[in-house]
Amino acid sequence: MSDLLPVAEARSRILAAVAPKPAETVLLGDALGRTLAAPVAALRTQPPWDCSAMDGYAVRADDATLGARLAVVGESAAGRSFGGTLTPGQAVRIFTGAPVPAGADGVLLQEDASREGDAIVVGETVQRGRHIRKAGIDFTLGEALLPPGRRLGARDLALVAALGHPTVEAAARPRVAILATGDELVLPGEPVGPDQIVASNAFAIAAVVAGEGGIALDLGVAPDDRAAIGAAVGRAFADEVDILVTLGGASVGDHDLVRPVLEEAGVALDFWKIAMRPGKPMMAGRRGGTLVLGLPGNPVSAIVCSLLFLTPALRRLSGRRDLEPPLIVGRLGRDMPANDRREDYLRAAIDTGLGGVAVVSAFPRQDSSMLRPLAEAEGLLMRPPHAPAAKAGDPCLFLPLPHPY
């Protein structure tokens, strides 16, 4: 097993083989999940003027003492301000978000004022600056607020819009072709023969691609036939996709044809077989501008490999900075035996107990053909190569499994 590549080195080689895609202009309504390729700065100041934080009366603090009587000389509402200047003994009816009139330096809450025709009686002394939002407390013209490499969520889109931008510059979406292989595979809903199984991997990988902001292109299922696999691979290269993902056929059996077909198609393979479990028979290479990842046909292996290798590659193509899997320190929920030279990723339940420390308990069965435990898992317990035996309560590392994984 000395030819097995460490997980970290495999990921490093894959990341070195890809670079961020060129930027394109994206309408704000289409920008959810896109990654900024350029910083976003404010085109305006927010708020652009001092405004009221409450409904009430704009006043001069020197006038608004308990029991004082003030003449109401106008109104200031959002989108319709009072154009004059407040003078001693005056007040202006004001509403939340409305500009504070010139001369006013405080807001008397409406519930603290008694209205008497065109005048009010102050029911509570007003402090200078009270209930006034100063101009620019949120952001100011020219201030850079969102950096390149940030993936835009709902809150970001609200901020970008408030900054005055109808579009953003974002990295082009990575395009990923997905090819499943194997005589035994049939699609969901098709008749299943006595020696066949339902194909599931491509749906998971397509979800991973979509979840990372990419575009998944389904090449279907190719039988264990050199010509059929070669034709599908050829379509991917002709389409100049960013990544070609093959599923299955990457081992060394008589029916594992993906590796020789890729080599015949001109793919320069960088490595094959990784020191990890599940997922050892994985390969990576490149042809021109296309990264090729040969994932195992085993369902759990394929999904775990997509998390550790495909996801970082998609993020690099999108210009993101968060490339490494976010391992978290927890505590073991049960004893663990010593590990061999392969890095383990064990399906596990996560329980956050007292003190907020995550207790990580690996499932008793770790058969990598079983999708149900993976769907039920909340994280992957990571066991480094040659890790010694550990007791319940010992520190451990785990990888959370958020959607879409």
Side-chain angles (χ1 to χ4, degrees):
M1 295 178 65
S2 59
D3 59 336
L4 298 184
L5 194 67
V7 171
E9 184 175 345
R11 186 162 52 245
S12 178
R13 290 192 190 181
I14 289 171
L15 290 174
V18 292
K21 291 176 66 64
E24 60 185 16
T25 301
V26 180
L27 291 171
L28 198 55
D30 298 324
L32 179 64
R34 302 296 293 270
T35 302
L36 288 176
V40 179
L43 299 179
R44 58 190 300 274
T45 293
Q46 178 67 18
W49 12 251
D50 292 358
C51 66
S52 178
M54 304 291 287
D55 290 346
Y57 295 88
V59 297
R60 299 172 70 252
D62 289 344
D63 296 339
T65 56
L66 182 62
R69 184 181 180 85
L70 305 174
V72 179
V73 296
E75 179 179 285
S76 183
R80 191 177 69 256
S81 64
F82 175 77
T85 299
L86 215 60
T87 60
Q90 294 181 336
V92 168
R93 182 73 166 106
I94 197 166
F95 298 92
T96 302
V100 175
D105 58 8
V107 172
L108 173 67
L109 298 182
Q110 63 183 17
E111 56 264 36
D112 294 331
S114 299
R115 186 73 182 252
E116 297 180 355
D118 291 334
I120 57 169
V121 176
V122 177
E124 182 174 325
T125 298
V126 174
Q127 301 297 317
R128 185 170 285 105
R130 184 68 170 160
H131 303 309
I132 292 179
R133 296 175 178 141
K134 302 298 289 183
I137 60 169
D138 198 354
F139 50 80
T140 57
L141 176 66
E143 187 177 1
L145 296 179
L146 293 173
R150 183 181 182 95
R151 192 180 189 198
L152 296 172
R155 293 172 294 165
D156 301 313
L157 295 181
L159 177 58
V160 173
L163 295 174
H165 292 272
T167 63
V168 292
E169 293 299 305
R173 298 174 66 188
R175 298 170 65 250
V176 182
I178 304 169
L179 173 64
T181 67
D183 289 337
E184 75 280 13
L185 300 179
V186 297
L187 293 175
E190 293 182 348
V192 183
D195 300 317
Q196 293 182 308
I197 60 174
V198 178
S200 60
N201 292 352
F203 296 97
I205 303 307
V208 170
V209 173
E212 293 296 332
I215 300 172
L217 307 172
D218 183 14
L219 296 179
V221 177
D224 291 321
D225 175 82
R226 283 178 180 263
I229 297 172
V233 167
R235 292 197 302 272
F237 291 136
D239 202 16
E240 297 183 339
V241 297
D242 298 295
I243 303 177
L244 167 62
V245 175
T246 63
L247 298 165
S251 193
V252 294
D254 292 342
H255 300 284
D256 293 312
L257 305 175
V258 171
R259 181 181 179 185
V261 169
L262 290 175
E263 290 175 327
E264 291 169 3
V267 175
L269 289 178
D270 182 19
F271 62 82
W272 176 54
K273 294 191 296 186
I274 301 176
M276 62 180 289
R277 185 176 30 241
K280 182 182 75 170
M282 185 191 134
M283 57 188 172
R286 192 167 186 87
R287 181 185 133 158
T290 300
L291 172 69
V292 178
L293 296 179
L295 304 188
N298 181 287
V300 174
S301 299
I303 294 173
V304 171
C305 284
S306 74
L307 172 60
L308 297 176
F309 306 109
L310 174 59
T311 293
L314 288 167
R315 293 183 177 185
R316 170 63 63 81
L317 285 164
S318 298
R320 289 173 63 175
R321 311 291 173 83
D322 52 335
L323 304 181
E324 292 296 319
L327 292 174
I328 297 175
V329 177
R331 296 282 178 179
L332 288 174
R334 56 171 57 100
D335 295 352
M336 296 297 297
N339 198 15
D340 60 18
R341 66 182 66 189
R342 291 165 68 181
E343 196 164 294
D344 272 350
Y345 290 87
L346 307 170
R347 280 70 75 205
I350 311 295
D351 178 34
T352 303
L354 295 176
V357 177
V359 178
V360 186
S361 301
F363 293 159
R365 296 191 65 179
Q366 292 290 327
D367 189 317
S368 58
S369 69
M370 297 172 61
L371 278 171
R372 178 177 173 178
L374 181 62
E376 294 174 347
E378 297 163 295
L380 298 176
L381 171 61
M382 197 277 276
R383 295 279 288 157
H386 304 293
K391 297 290 186 181
D394 285 350
C396 66
L397 291 175
F398 73 95
L399 181 61
L401 285 177
H403 291 294
Y405 294 103

